[in-house]
Amino acid sequence: MPRETIISTDSCSGTAGAGRSGWGRRRQPGRDAISNPSQTRASPRRQSLSMSRYLVACDAGGTMTDVIIVDEEGRSVIGKAPTSPQDESIGYMESFWEALEFMGISKDEGQNFGASVETAIYTGTSMLNTVINMSGYKTGIIVTRGFEDIISQGRGSQTFIGAQWSEITHMQYRRHRTPLVPSQLARGVTERIDMFGTPVIPMYEKEVREGARSLIADEKVEAIAIIFLQSFVNPVHENRAAEICREVMEELGQEVVLEVSNKVAPTTREISRANATVIQAYASDPARKQLYRIEEELAKTGYAHSLKTVLGYGGITNIRYPRLFEAAMSGPVGGLMGAKYLSSVIGEENIVCS
């Protein structure tokens, strides 16, 4: 029977702990307080001469934030601090400074450490938690008339998760999840493009203008997502609707986040495209502001590059990537990537990653 190895990648669990790999062991309060620091710490001067470039990675969970610093020889340290949802840069930098402390570098000595960092990568559950906790922007949608309930209806399978067959077959048990965009924040527009990309019903621009004005001025939305049928084949109607929305913003003197589905997720299946566009409008801007704050704090230490993040399919990109919703699962995916690599190192094919 094949063996299985269980690996925990959750930064909240604390199973990985914080400390050093290659730089010695972590100091224990009390017991190590009287030990000679020179026995467990390498000289910062000696480190700076022998290892000039570093990688800084982060795993930010809902409870704890871990920052991992790796040198050119593969030696690493891990700092851990409570996550600060109101400003993630606080928890990030506290963890960063603790990691440097495990390297034998004080906060004063590490003020310019960022100049030696080759790249900094963020993974975490910030955007995912925004969606789960429904704490993102108040978002409205402008959609093809007749599809105003596309978000509130969703897919039938989404309402049956965890239900037994006896419950599924009795509609009175069915309960829809709370939508990110309630139906009262949806505005329908008369327009239609067929499956070949040919406009068969012209877009009624007056309806777009009225819908945008209603959402911005009356409903006080913070973001608008535009989702028209077949826009992935021909985006002409969506793009024109976006222009009208910007004109309305200028007239009202108010600016909101504006996303169009043909740029966020130019793929078939309107529900998938709608979900992606709404998440981009609802949660990506708050998450991006958090990432900018982290990048700003790193820049104060001399870090001269852009902060990177991990996408849901394992790629790494700049935090200015326009389709940032793809990084919503960066934390869990980062753990899977690490477990996959570890499996190749230890020669274990069967791994349960949690």
Side-chain angles (χ1 to χ4, degrees), residues 254-272:
Q254 301 180 44
E255 186 173 352
V256 301
V257 173
L258 181 63
E259 302 288 351
V260 291
S261 72
N262 72 80
K263 290 182 172 60
V264 174
T267 61
T268 186
R269 295 181 179 272
E270 62 271 12
I271 293 180
S272 297

Side-chain angles (χ1 to χ4, degrees), residues 47-308:
Q47 290 177 10
S48 64
L49 291 175
S50 60
M51 298 158 290
S52 59
R53 310 304 296 173
Y54 298 89
L55 168 68
V56 175
C58 163
D59 179 20
T63 305
M64 302 299 294
T65 295
D66 296 345
V67 167
I68 304 95
I69 301 178
V70 185
D71 72 0
E72 293 174 324
E73 297 182 8
R75 299 189 295 179
S76 63
V77 290
I78 302 176
K80 184 181 286 287
T83 297
S84 48
Q86 75 284 358
D87 184 351
E88 285 201 33
S89 68
I90 297 174
Y92 182 99
M93 294 309 296
E94 288 179 354
S95 182
F96 175 81
W97 295 123
E98 183 179 86
L100 287 186
E101 182 183 353
F102 287 128
M103 293 172 59
I105 302 176
S106 68
K107 188 172 182 178
D108 290 337
E109 295 169 330
Q111 291 301 317
N112 295 316
F113 182 84
S116 299
V117 175
E118 189 69 30
T119 190
I121 302 173
Y122 172 95
T123 69
T125 57
S126 173
M127 195 186 311
L128 182 61
N129 289 337
T130 298
V131 175
I132 293 174
N133 298 327
M134 301 191 70
S135 57
Y137 285 169
K138 183 178 181 180
T139 302
I141 58 174
I142 296 177
V143 299
T144 301
R145 184 169 296 281
F147 288 80
E148 290 87 346
D149 294 324
I150 189 170
I151 299 299
S152 58
Q153 286 182 342
R155 291 192 179 92
S157 61
Q158 292 175 314
T159 67
F160 295 138
I161 296 175
Q164 297 180 358
W165 181 249
S166 60
E167 296 173 320
I168 294 174
T169 53
H170 292 79
M171 295 302 292
Q172 63 266 34
Y173 288 117
R174 181 172 177 173
R175 179 182 177 184
H176 282 278
R177 56 174 175 71
T178 302
L180 295 180
V181 180
S183 296
Q184 60 266 31
L185 295 182
R187 299 294 183 270
V189 171
T190 303
E191 66 84 35
R192 185 59 64 92
I193 290 177
D194 67 17
M195 61 185 294
F196 304 106
T198 303
V200 293
I201 300 177
M203 183 180 70
Y204 286 27
E205 295 192 1
K206 180 181 178 181
E207 294 180 359
V208 178
R209 195 173 300 276
E210 291 175 348
R213 182 176 292 275
S214 171
L215 289 172
I216 298 172
D218 301 333
E219 300 291 351
K220 309 297 182 184
V221 299
E222 300 168 282
I224 293 177
I226 301 176
I227 308 145
F228 290 160
L229 297 185
Q230 317 300 343
S231 63
F232 65 96
V233 180
N234 184 351
V236 61
H237 284 179
E238 276 195 357
N239 292 343
R240 176 54 187 153
E243 292 176 359
I244 294 173
C245 287
R246 293 189 184 96
E247 293 171 3
V248 172
M249 291 183 211
E250 187 173 353
E251 293 170 5
L252 296 174
Q254 301 180 44
E255 186 173 352
V256 301
V257 173
L258 181 63
E259 302 288 351
V260 291
S261 72
N262 72 80
K263 290 182 172 60
V264 174
T267 61
T268 186
R269 295 181 179 272
E270 62 271 12
I271 293 180
S272 297
R273 186 154 42 86
N275 286 340
T277 309
V278 166
I279 291 175
Q280 172 77 7
Y282 182 87
S284 67
D285 194 61
R288 198 188 305 273
K289 289 179 179 178
Q290 295 273 23
L291 297 176
Y292 283 155
R293 286 284 299 122
I294 294 173
E295 187 181 72
E296 290 170 2
E297 291 300 315
L298 283 173
K300 294 177 182 179
T301 69
Y303 181 62
H305 311 290
S306 63
L307 181 65
K308 310 296 191 301

